Amino acid sequence: MRVRSLIALFVAMLALAACSTPKRHAYIADADRDVQTPITNFRQTAIFPEDVLHIYVYSQKPAAVVPFNQETNTGADNAKPTGYLVTTNGDITFPFLGRVSTTGHTLESLAREIEKQLIEKQYVNDPVVTVSLMNFRVTVIGEVRYPRQIHADGERITVFEALAQCGDVTKDGIRECVTIIRTNGNEQIVDTLDLTRREVLNSPYYYLQQNDILYVEPTKKRKRTAYRNEDWPHYLSTGVAAVRMAYLAVYRIVRAENVR
């Protein structure tokens, strides 16, 4: 009876161990569950030089907007739209309107600006303009399973979505110290995120922006072993085999001498 009780206790401990998640591997471990929190860090997407914009003009009279959609609507099913490249000065060249400045604009405000100019210059009476990024990308490197550059379809992704597309942080990655490098115009910002704390949800870096770089720092153990030769088990087994062969050779020679 006592043996059965011990076995049952052992099985229960194994089950608890299997169901539990190590605290250092848990994301936002201190966040309250089933609690609604207002989103305060959701921002409109800014426009920067070298962005490629998809701009489309709608109207109740489709024929009136055809000239404005040639750049992003090739008309061929297998042809990709080219988009509008933002110059280093922050301008795009739009049909009939000429140079349009994107400096200080978000995607939404640029759409409203183009609508305004189309109406003022009497090109289209009822324009509805949409502007989106065609080359939104972020780079994830360091201790993730598949370091790579991510090309997102939308205007932004969260830090967790980016990590998920890279196979998540490895067991050798520090979730409490994820470095983010962000470029805003002519400025670069370097900061860190602690993915185990709920504060990350309100961080200005929770929603990634165009050209953000995420770097997951390795643990100290990983840093120490990174410079060691990972083939040491092979070399060890080869060395043991060589010593064994040498021992057998010497043993046979000594035995042969004794027989004589």
Side-chain angles (χ1 to χ4, degrees):
M1 192 70 180
R2 184 178 180 183
V3 174
R4 290 182 179 180
S5 300
L6 291 174
I7 293 175
L9 178 61
F10 180 70
V11 171
M13 292 176 64
L14 286 178
L16 288 173
C19 294
S20 63
T21 302
K23 191 171 182 180
R24 73 183 190 91
H25 290 322
Y27 292 120
I28 51 175
D30 63 340
D32 296 330
R33 268 46 180 177
D34 196 25
V35 175
Q36 294 183 352
T37 304
I39 298 175
T40 59
N41 56 348
F42 193 80
R43 301 179 180 180
Q44 293 288 338
T45 302
I47 301 173
F48 300 107
E50 298 187 4
D51 283 351
V52 180
L53 306 179
H54 180 283
I55 302 176
Y56 202 87
V57 183
Y58 299 85
S59 171
Q60 293 292 336
K61 299 178 180 179
V65 296
V66 169
F68 304 104
N69 295 328
Q70 292 178 349
E71 195 75 18
T72 53
N73 183 22
T74 60
D77 294 337
N78 59 349
K80 293 183 179 180
T82 56
Y84 296 88
L85 176 65
V86 180
T87 67
T88 54
N89 295 325
D91 300 327
I92 60 170
T93 302
F94 198 74
F96 293 89
L97 299 183
R99 290 190 176 276
V100 177
S101 176
T102 68
T103 303
H105 278 295
T106 64
L107 298 178
E108 180 67 23
S109 65
L110 178 62
R112 303 292 79 80
E113 175 63 24
I114 294 175
E115 289 176 356
K116 176 184 175 184
Q117 293 193 30
L118 289 175
I119 294 173
E120 288 179 349
K121 297 182 179 181
Q122 299 181 356
Y123 291 124
V124 185
N125 294 327
D126 60 342
V128 177
V129 178
T130 61
V131 181
S132 59
L133 281 173
M134 296 180 66
N135 64 334
F136 182 89
R137 61 186 181 272
V138 296
T139 304
V140 183
I141 56 177
E143 285 301 323
V144 293
R145 191 173 298 276
Y146 308 112
R148 67 190 188 95
Q149 190 175 79
I150 299 171
H151 295 265
D153 294 331
E155 298 174 6
R156 60 173 65 81
I157 59 175
T158 68
V159 61
F160 292 118
E161 290 171 333
L163 292 173
Q165 292 192 38
C166 295
D168 202 3
V169 179
T170 69
K171 62 181 179 63
D172 295 314
I174 303 178
R175 288 163 172 78
E176 298 86 350
C177 188
V178 175
T179 300
I180 184 166
I181 303 173
R182 172 166 294 175
T183 302
N184 284 330
N186 296 324
E187 298 179 346
Q188 274 193 335
I189 303 172
V190 180
D191 211 331
T192 56
L193 294 173
D194 184 348
L195 303 183
T196 66
R197 304 295 300 275
R198 72 176 306 277
E199 283 79 5
V200 69
L201 300 176
N202 294 322
S203 168
Y205 308 108
Y206 178 69
Y207 289 100
L208 300 179
Q209 293 183 4
Q210 162 79 313
N211 295 322
D212 279 353
I213 299 175
L214 283 180
Y215 168 64
V216 181
E217 185 176 345
T219 60
K220 292 182 178 180
K221 179 180 178 181
R222 176 61 175 165
K223 289 178 181 179
R224 288 195 301 268
T225 59
Y227 301 102
R228 297 176 185 174
N229 195 319
E230 296 183 356
D231 292 332
W232 67 267
H234 171 71
Y235 294 137
L236 179 61
S237 61
T238 303
V240 170
V243 170
R244 183 172 180 273
M245 291 177 63
Y247 171 78
L248 290 175
V250 172
Y251 174 78
R252 288 172 182 173
I253 293 173
V254 172
R255 185 177 180 182
E257 290 293 333
N258 292 334
V259 170
R260 293 178 183 178

